Amino acid sequence: MKRMFGVAAVALLSSAAGAQATNVKVTLTEWKVKMSADTVPAGRVSFTINNYGSMNHALHIKGADKFDKETREIAKNEVGQLTVTLKPGTYEVYCPLAADSHHMAGMKATLVVTGSAAKPAPKKKP
């Protein structure tokens, strides 16, 4: 009985670990977005955003399947958080503030999400 309980506990812990988010640290400064990783696996991704700039910034993620999410404004020397579920594809990560002028000034990066989306098998014609 003890052994069975131990196996069940290991299985439960393994499945819980699989549901954890990939963590990406993001640093925002004037006209730069730096990420600790530019490629992540599909699934939950948690961004911890540090604004080391001299003004407010934010983080906007746009890409695959019309995905479009952003943080609130993050004041200088503050930290923001954004956790999202991403599908495989390429995403643009940028600061959307000041009528998008931060983005145009080069405050952007690219995030690649790997993994294969399950595709349904083609239907056979009768």
Side-chain angles (χ1 to χ4, degrees), residues 106-123:
M107 201 168 176
K108 58 187 172 183
T110 300
L111 179 69
V112 176
V113 179
T114 62
S116 58
K119 294 182 182 178
K123 290 183 181 178

Side-chain angles (χ1 to χ4, degrees), residues 7-51:
V7 170
V10 169
L12 182 61
L13 290 173
S14 296
S15 65
Q20 289 182 350
T22 299
N23 296 308
V24 177
K25 293 179 183 176
V26 180
T27 301
L28 304 176
T29 58
E30 272 61 64
W31 328 139
K32 290 183 184 172
V33 174
K34 292 173 100 179
M35 297 185 296
S36 62
D38 59 6
T39 303
V40 297
R44 287 175 43 88
V45 181
S46 183
F47 296 89
T48 301
I49 306 119
N50 289 281
N51 180 5

Side-chain angles (χ1 to χ4, degrees), residues 46-68:
S46 183
F47 296 89
T48 301
I49 306 119
N50 289 281
N51 180 5
Y52 293 128
S54 61
M55 61 185 71
N56 289 359
H57 291 297
L59 191 73
H60 192 112
I61 304 172
K62 193 172 190 175
D65 291 335
K66 299 181 182 181
F67 185 89
D68 194 2

